[in-house]
Each structure stands twice: as C-alpha cells, then as structure tokens.
C-alpha cells in the first residue's frame, strides 16, 4: 500500500509540474517531415504531379500507359515538342503519381493533360496503368476545368482495338474534363509511327488555337541528357546489365518482377522440329528456391541481349571505345527519370542489354541524327523522312520500315552520318522484355518454367540477314556448357488465360504452331487432376502445323496424352501435306455438330492461342458459322452469342501479331 501511495504522489507532482509550470521561452515550431511514397530508384518520390508542375513552371503533363516502351517514347516526344510553342511539358508514369490530383490541374494557367495509352492483351491496361484504370472506374470526382487529349496505341488484329485509349477518352469526358482534340487511334498492324505523326501534326495547332499561343519557330534539337565520362570509377558501382538494383544479379533477393528479374538457369534446350528451314525449340528454366510462382496460362518475360557482332559493328562505324564508363544525366534535375537506362555503365553494356538496336528507328531519331550528316544529300534525306509531308512519310516507309533497316544499316548506308555515340544512346529506345506463353503446369513442374519458341530469321530487301533478338539469344542458351550455367533474366506476368474453375467443365483449345504452348500446360494440369481422382471434362485440342514429318511440335507427348485419355480429342491439321491447304478452322467445321454440343450443352470454355492477324479471326468466324447453323440464329445473333461467351470468360484468346 505504501508503495502504491508513493507512486501516486510522484505521478501527481510530475503532472502538476508539467501542466502548470511557467514557460520561460517559446519552443520553436518545427514542420513535420512529410512521408512520401517510395518508388523506383529513378523516382524523385513526390507523387503530387500538380505541385511538381507548379514548382518547375510546367503546364503540360503527358501520362503514358506503356508495356513495350512505345507509348512512353511517344509521351516523351510530345513533352519535348512543348518548348516549340512556348510551353513546358514532362512525360509521367501514372504508377508514380497520385492521379486523384488531376482535379487540381486547372489551378495552373493554360494547363493540359495528355494521355498516350497502349492497350495490352485482350483490351487490358498496361501494367503501369492498372492503378490509373482502377481509379478511373471508381472515381467520383469533378474534373471540370481540366483540359485533355488522348492518343491510343493498339492493333486492329485484336478483338478490343485500342480499348484503353477509348475508355480513358470517354471516361475523362464523363467526369467533366474538356477534350481539346480528338482521340487518336494508332494501329500497330499498319504503321503506328505514321498514325502518331499524323495525329500530332494536327494536335499542336489545336492546342495553339485553344490556348491562344503561337509556335516559336524553334525547331532546334534539344539534348535531354548530358554526358559524364568516368575515368576512375570503382567498377563495383558500374551497371553490367542489371534492370534495377546494382549488383542484383550477384545477390538475388525476392520478390522477382520486371525491375528485379530472377536469373534462371537453362536446364534443357532441345530442337522440337524434325526438318524444315525454321528452328523451333523447347527450353526449361529452373526456378528452384526463387519463390517464383506461376499458373497454367501465365506468361514468362525474358530480358534478352543483343548480338555482340552488331554491338561491335556499331562501335567500329562510330569509332567509339565501347568500354568507356559513362553516365547520361537528365538535364532536368526535377525529372523522376534521372537516366535513360541504368548508369554509370559502359557503351558496350548499354548497346547489349539496355538499347534496342535491331528495330527500324522511328522518325524522331532520324530527325535528331540528321544534324550529324556532313553530306548535304544524306542530311536532306533524313530530314525528309522525319517530316510530316506525304512524300517524306512514303520515303520513310519504304527506305526504313519495309526494308527493315536498323540503326547499323542506316549508318552503313549513309557514310557521312557519324553521330556521337552518347547522343545515339540517348535517342535509341529501351530494349524490352519478350513475353512467352508458359508451356508447362506448376502442378506438374513446380520448379521449372517451359518455353516454346521459333527463331526469327529473314533476309531484308537490302540483302541483309536480320535475326530476332530474343529467339537467337535463347537458341544459344546451352545448359551447363563447360561447367558454366546459361542464365536467363526472367519474371512471370499473370494472365487472364485460365482453365475453368471446375475441372469437370469441357475445354476446346485451338493453337497452331507455337500457339500450342499454353495448352501443353493445360493438358498437363488436366492429366494431373485426373490422377488426383477429380472428375475432368472433355479436353479437346485443335492443333496445326505445316508438315507432319517436319514441325509437328510435342508429337510424342500429345500422342501419349491422347492414348492415356487425358486428351479426349486430338485434331491435327497439316496445312501443306496435301494440294489443298487445311487449317484448324477447317477441322472445326468438320466437327461442327460436336463442337456446338460441347459449347451449348456442355458449357465448354474455348481457348485460342497464336496468330492474331489471320488464324484467330478465321477461327472466330468459324464459331459464328457453327453457332448460326446449330443455334438457328441469324449472323448478328450468332456474333452476339460468341461475344457474350467472351464477356463471361468462356472464350479466351492469347494472340499476337
């Protein structure tokens, strides 16, 4: 009791002193340090883009939803254009900013938000625009006073052409924002570059008219980055191909994603075809101990490396020391993007792992390079191709795009064009990850991911041999050569291409060529479920190739699955083994009554994987015909029936063009 009394007395005296003591002096008030969200190493960490624009005197923000880097490239080009109209802009990744601040944009005079939005897969937003898309769907915000414009990047061979661009354009208007220029719809199946240029050359006059400004006439090239050469750099601080954290390839730490890929050893690399000119291959990547998880139907992304021969040739043509250690630092200190690629690094590393040197360069690259051509004729040709004139566009299309001239071919065919290698590295787009449908089931192969791919190799109109970056690189990934592991930087991208929740639901799979990949995983999983005693519905495959004796992929495995009953039907079309070509859609027509029963009575799920331009469209048209005939429907009713299957998730596509 005495102890309790003493404790109470001490607490009472302390409280009296604390609350009633005479304050001798004012305690200065300190401003709390605001906590900011931590982004990637390139981020400045400030998620309020409106405050940033006020602070840096900018009035145009160009957001991009980009999966392969093209939308980001277009956004940066638009933001650079702004200075020609006495305005200031910047390109912004919506993943790094709080888009709910959009309603405050009107606080800035003559402000404008531009959105370059790519559509990924079957009408989906790109990874970096997913949060923005979710916010737009749920937002109950008044955007009146906000001015905007949208350019969409899509591909007409896909069912949901430019779905993301169309949605953003429509939704912003619904929320009260004012569209100041019409929606642009770029088509990658045609000429995306030309679509963008055509839109852009009409967009800026509309901006000028709306805000009452005029072009400054300043067409000069503006460098975005400055070169810093490091002569005594500690090599432990130099990037050697890592995508994010320095030395991340030496000390691997999960979780693994696009900015932190896992180095997976190649345990198997075998040729799948028995003959023919093409090389089709099956690779197995070991993911043991990585905590990387995947499901059948997911995609594996791999970061390839450019051919060292091409890299060396660029160095030779430009007379550059490729082993020089350098950094390209953004001249705009407020920019979230400090470097165009991880720096410091060597030119060799940049050209090998970070830059796209095999695709034909876009017109903005030619425009910037033109100043370095000492021959007047060559300089004129470059400027002409970069112009918006019809003749210039035609010349660019024939000389660069159709001839598949990459940057090395352009340098070789224009002997007077010798730009500084640092400016070339600034201009070239980033080398992107390549996505492959996973050809295995994690139920059967929890510690490995399988890839099925065909090497890309063709002769151009100029007589050069062009090779696909990733497939050529993968082809040379030989398991444990001389005791050295062949490693592939990779991560898994989740997909909507999923087996039905109930194993008893029938599935119809259509996948010619390498489109067979996800279905190998599906069949493995259905076979495994059957072994577990589960009731598994009909598993039907329509596969196609050119010749039975040449490129029938996974023939032994498929025959065995069919023999064991895991594969209920195995329908194979050999397109060139007879006078008249036979494709998967022809086999569907032959079995049309059974196909209709599975769909209508069996509630089957349909899966299509492969070429989007012809196969996927022809298969879809075949389903329209089957539904119309056996469902006693008109053509519009049949189309509506199939579209509803898609909406319900019963008709899924994993296609590419």
């Amino acid at each position: 009791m005495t102890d309790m009394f003493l404790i109470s007395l001490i607490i009472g005296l302390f409280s009296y002193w604390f609350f009633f003591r005479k304050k001798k002096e004012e305690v200065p008030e300190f401003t709390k340090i605001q906590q900011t969200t931590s982004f990637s190493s390139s981020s400045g960490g400030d998620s309020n883009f409106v405050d940033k624009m006020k602070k840096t005197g900018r009035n145009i923000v160009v957001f991009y939803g980009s999966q392969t880097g093209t939308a980001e490239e277009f956004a940066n080009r638009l933001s650079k254009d702004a200075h020609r109209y006495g305005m200031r802009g910047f390109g912004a990744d919506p993943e790094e900013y709080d888009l709910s601040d959009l309603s405050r944009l009107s606080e800035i005079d003559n402000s404008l938000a531009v959105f370059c939005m790519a559509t990924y897969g079957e009408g989906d937003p790109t990874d970096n625009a997913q949060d923005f898309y979710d916010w737009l769907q749920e937002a109950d915000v008044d955007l009146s006073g906000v001015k905007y414009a949208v350019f969409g990047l899509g591909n007409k061979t896909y069912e949901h052409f430019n779905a993301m661009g169309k949605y953003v354009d429509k939704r912003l208007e619904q929320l009260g924002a004012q569209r100041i220029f019409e929606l642009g719809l770029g088509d990658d199946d045609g000429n995306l570059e030309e679509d963008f240029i055509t839109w852009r050359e009409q967009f800026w006059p509309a901006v000028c008219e709306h805000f009452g400004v005029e072009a400054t006439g300043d067409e000069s090239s503006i460098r975005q980055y400055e070169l810093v050469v490091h002569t005594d750099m500690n090599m432990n601080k130099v990037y050697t191909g890592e995508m994010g954290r320095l030395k991340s390839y030496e000390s691997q730490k999960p979780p693994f994603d696009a900015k932190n890929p896992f180095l997976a050893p190649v345990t198997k690399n075998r040729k799948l075809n028995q003959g023919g000119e093409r090389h089709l291959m099956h690779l197995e990547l070991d993911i043991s101990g990585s905590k990387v998880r995947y499901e059948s139907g997911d995609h594996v992304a791999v970061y390839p490396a450019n051919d060292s021969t091409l890299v060396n040739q660029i160095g030779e043509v430009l007379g550059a020391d490729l082993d020089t250690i350098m950094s390209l630092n953004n001249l705009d200190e407020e920019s979230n993007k400090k470097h165009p690629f991880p720096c410091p690094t060597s030119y060799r590393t940049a050209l090998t792992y970070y830059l796209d040197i095999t695709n034909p360069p876009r017109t903005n690259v030619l425009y910037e390079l033109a100043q370095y051509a000492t021959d007047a004729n060559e300089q004129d040709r470059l400027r002409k191709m970069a112009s918006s004139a019809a003749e210039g566009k035609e010349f660019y299309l024939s000389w660069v795009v159709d001839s598949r001239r990459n940057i090395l071919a352009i340098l070789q065919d224009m002997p007077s064009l010798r730009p500084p290698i640092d400016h070339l590295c600034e201009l070239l787009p980033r080398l992107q990850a390549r996505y492959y449908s996973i050809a295995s089931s994690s139920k059967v192969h929890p510690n490995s991911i399988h890839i099925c791919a065909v090497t890309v190799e063709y002769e151009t109109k100029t007589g050069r041999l062009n090779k696909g970056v990733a497939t050529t690189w993968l082809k040379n990934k030989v398991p444990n050569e001389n005791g050295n592991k062949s490693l592939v930087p990779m991560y898994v991208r989740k997909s909507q291409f999923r087996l039905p929740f109930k194993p008893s639901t029938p599935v119809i799979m259509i996948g010619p060529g390498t489109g067979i990949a996800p279905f190998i995983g599906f069949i493995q999983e259905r076979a495994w479920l059957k072994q577990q005693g589960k009731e598994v519905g009909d598993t039907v495959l329509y596969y196609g190739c050119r010749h039975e004796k040449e490129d029938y992929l996974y023939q032994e495995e498929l025959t065995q699955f069919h023999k064991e009953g895991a594969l209920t039907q195995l329908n194979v079309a050999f397109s060139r083994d007879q006078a008249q070509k036979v494709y998967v859609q022809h086999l569907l027509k032959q079995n049309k009554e059974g196909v209709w029963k599975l769909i209508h009575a069996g509630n089957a799920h349909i899966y299509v994987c492969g070429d989007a331009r012809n196969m996927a469209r022809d298969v879809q048209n075949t389903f329209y015909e089957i539904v119309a005939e056996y469902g006693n429907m008109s053509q519009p009713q049949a189309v509506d029936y199939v579209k509803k299957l898609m909406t319900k998730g019963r008709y899924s596509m994993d296609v590419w063009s």
Side-chain angles (χ1 to χ4, degrees), residues 273-574:
N273 51 318
Q274 292 77 48
E277 294 176 0
R278 300 182 305 162
H279 181 95
L280 294 119
M281 55 194 167
H282 169 89
L283 287 96
E284 298 185 10
L285 309 180
D286 185 1
I287 55 169
S288 303
S290 67
K291 296 185 179 176
V292 169
R293 300 285 177 265
Y294 75 96
E295 290 181 62
S296 303
D298 282 343
H299 298 135
V300 59
V302 304
Y303 283 109
N306 285 311
D307 188 335
S308 59
T309 306
L310 286 179
V311 172
N312 288 331
Q313 284 180 297
I314 290 172
E316 286 167 20
V317 166
L318 296 180
D321 177 2
L322 295 180
D323 296 312
T324 299
I325 306 300
M326 56 83 197
S327 291
L328 288 177
N329 299 332
N330 203 322
L331 289 162
D332 176 5
E333 293 178 1
E334 296 295 330
S335 174
N336 278 14
K337 192 173 182 179
K338 302 303 178 192
H339 315 283
F341 44 78
C343 290
T345 191
S346 69
Y347 288 122
R348 186 182 304 282
T349 298
L351 292 168
T352 304
Y353 299 106
Y354 298 140
L355 298 171
D356 183 345
I357 61 172
T358 57
N359 273 314
R362 299 196 185 276
T363 57
N364 66 304
V365 177
L366 303 185
Y367 177 83
E368 298 274 357
L369 291 180
Q371 62 185 305
Y372 299 114
T374 54
D375 181 276
N377 181 41
E378 289 182 358
Q379 189 173 103
D380 286 347
R381 286 164 69 199
L382 286 164
R383 291 230 160 96
K384 185 179 179 181
M385 286 189 283
S387 74
S388 56
E391 193 184 351
K393 289 177 182 175
E394 209 171 297
F395 186 30
Y396 170 74
L397 191 62
S398 63
W399 199 80
V400 178
V401 180
D402 292 345
S403 299
R404 300 300 298 171
R405 275 184 171 89
N406 57 31
I407 190 61
L408 176 62
I410 289 170
L411 292 171
Q412 288 171 336
D413 293 346
M414 290 193 166
S416 86
L417 178 62
R418 294 296 178 261
I421 191 169
D422 62 288
H423 199 180
L424 183 67
C425 288
E426 174 180 327
L427 293 170
L428 290 173
R430 284 293 296 267
L431 180 60
Q432 300 294 325
R434 293 338 195 234
Y435 297 94
Y436 297 94
S437 301
I438 296 176
S440 54
S441 164
S442 57
K443 299 285 192 293
V444 182
H445 300 283
N447 294 318
S448 69
I449 283 176
H450 300 181
I451 294 174
C452 171
V454 56
T455 52
V456 177
E457 199 170 287
Y458 60 93
E459 189 175 312
T460 70
K461 289 179 179 178
T462 65
R464 293 177 170 93
L465 185 67
N466 278 11
K467 297 179 180 181
V469 177
T471 52
T472 305
W473 175 74
L474 284 171
K475 181 184 175 182
N476 295 321
K477 288 288 178 183
V478 182
N480 282 324
E481 194 176 42
N482 303 323
N484 296 320
K485 287 182 179 178
S486 280
L487 301 172
V488 172
M490 53 74 68
Y491 66 94
V492 168
R493 188 184 194 277
K494 294 296 173 188
S495 163
Q496 301 300 315
F497 205 67
R498 288 277 182 266
L499 277 168
F501 180 71
K502 289 182 180 176
S504 58
T505 303
V507 298
I508 302 170
M509 304 169 289
I510 302 113
T514 55
I516 187 71
F519 302 136
I520 294 296
F522 279 14
I523 298 163
Q524 285 178 1
E525 189 145 327
R526 304 269 282 187
W528 179 84
L529 287 164
K530 211 166 188 177
Q531 287 170 1
Q532 304 303 307
K534 297 279 193 324
E535 183 194 341
V536 177
D538 283 2
T539 305
V540 178
L541 176 67
Y542 286 85
Y543 171 66
C545 61
R546 295 176 184 178
H547 303 282
E548 182 177 8
K549 302 293 183 191
E550 278 188 13
D551 54 354
Y552 187 166
L553 308 183
Y554 299 105
Q555 183 176 1
E556 287 180 20
E557 291 93 325
L558 292 173
T559 305
Q560 188 63 28
F561 280 131
H562 190 220
K563 189 178 169 185
E564 292 170 357
L567 200 50
T568 318
Q569 287 181 40
L570 175 57
N571 307 284
V572 188
F574 304 109

Side-chain angles (χ1 to χ4, degrees), residues 239-254:
Y239 282 88
T240 56
E242 304 94 324
M243 291 300 143
R245 181 173 56 85
L246 185 67
K247 301 297 175 190
S248 59
Y249 287 170
E250 290 180 20
S251 58
Q252 293 255 279
K253 295 173 186 173

Side-chain angles (χ1 to χ4, degrees), residues 49-50 53 58-63 78-79 81-82 85 87-92 102 104-115 145-150 172 177-182 199 203-211 213:
F49 71 90
V50 175
M53 288 172 74
R58 284 168 166 77
N59 54 348
I60 295 180
V61 57
V62 191
F63 290 106
L78 287 172
S79 65
D81 281 345
Y85 304 92
M87 305 170 99
R88 291 192 71 200
F90 79 105
L102 199 57
R104 292 183 50 224
L105 188 61
S106 55
E107 294 173 12
I108 299 170
D109 290 339
N110 287 0
S111 59
L112 173 66
V114 186
F115 297 85
V146 173
K147 315 287 171 55
Y148 78 94
V150 179
L172 289 172
Q178 181 187 354
R179 182 191 299 106
I180 68 156
F181 188 60
E182 66 190 36
W199 180 84
F203 163 74
W204 282 114
V207 171
C208 289
E209 187 181 344
H210 184 86
F211 292 117
V213 296

